[in-house]
Amino acid sequence: MSGIFSQVNLLGSALKGVDANHRAVSQNIANVNTPGYKTQQVNYDELMRQLESRNAQDSVIDNVSTETVSGLAERVDGNNVDLEREVSELKKNALVFQTYSHLMASKLDTMRRAISG
């Protein structure tokens, strides 16, 4: 599949990835005081592989996995969540979501105009 339908599917998959990242960051913030909790993030390497595959162009990605972030400073209780980092990630993720949403709205508006004439 090519053209506007493929672009809409790719944007749908990208929005799903942004949604998964929002859930991971929210979970990190919720567990900022949980002893032993490790910061999670979306596995972007796997997400990009899925987006580049032929199947992703034909349908929206079903599953986006998360992974533990390494290299962060760990507190005495074993938790490595940095609240400032997570709030920054949340804001960055909101901007990415807004960008993809506008692109999706633009594509759908183009389709609507093509159908209605």
Side-chain angles (χ1 to χ4, degrees):
M1 184 183 300
S2 63
I4 199 162
F5 294 110
S6 176
Q7 294 171 4
V8 168
N9 285 338
L10 282 173
L11 283 170
S13 294
L15 284 169
K16 193 161 195 129
V18 172
D19 176 57
N21 192 42
H22 182 82
R23 281 186 273 122
V25 172
S26 297
Q27 184 175 354
N28 291 339
I29 291 172
N31 287 291
V32 70
N33 291 322
T34 303
Y37 182 82
K38 304 295 182 206
T39 302
Q40 301 291 310
Q41 71 178 11
V42 168
N43 186 341
Y44 286 106
D45 291 336
E46 181 183 331
L47 180 61
M48 290 306 294
R49 272 194 302 274
Q50 290 180 17
L51 286 174
E52 290 173 354
S53 73
R54 178 134 174 84
N55 291 338
Q57 295 175 5
D58 296 336
S59 62
V60 176
I61 291 175
D62 293 331
N63 187 20
V64 179
S65 65
T66 59
E67 62 186 0
T68 301
V69 179
S70 61
L72 298 177
E74 197 170 288
R75 297 188 314 242
V76 176
D77 64 358
N79 186 312
N80 69 354
V81 176
D82 179 356
L83 189 56
E84 288 183 20
R85 177 186 181 275
E86 297 306 315
V87 170
S88 173
E89 287 291 323
L90 204 56
K91 289 179 180 178
K92 185 170 69 175
N93 199 56
L95 290 174
V96 171
F97 180 82
Q98 189 176 20
T99 301
Y100 289 156
S101 296
H102 283 291
L103 284 171
M104 179 70 89
S106 173
K107 295 295 177 192
L108 294 177
D109 189 50
T110 300
M111 289 174 67
R112 186 177 317 116
R113 280 187 279 138
I115 292 170
S116 64

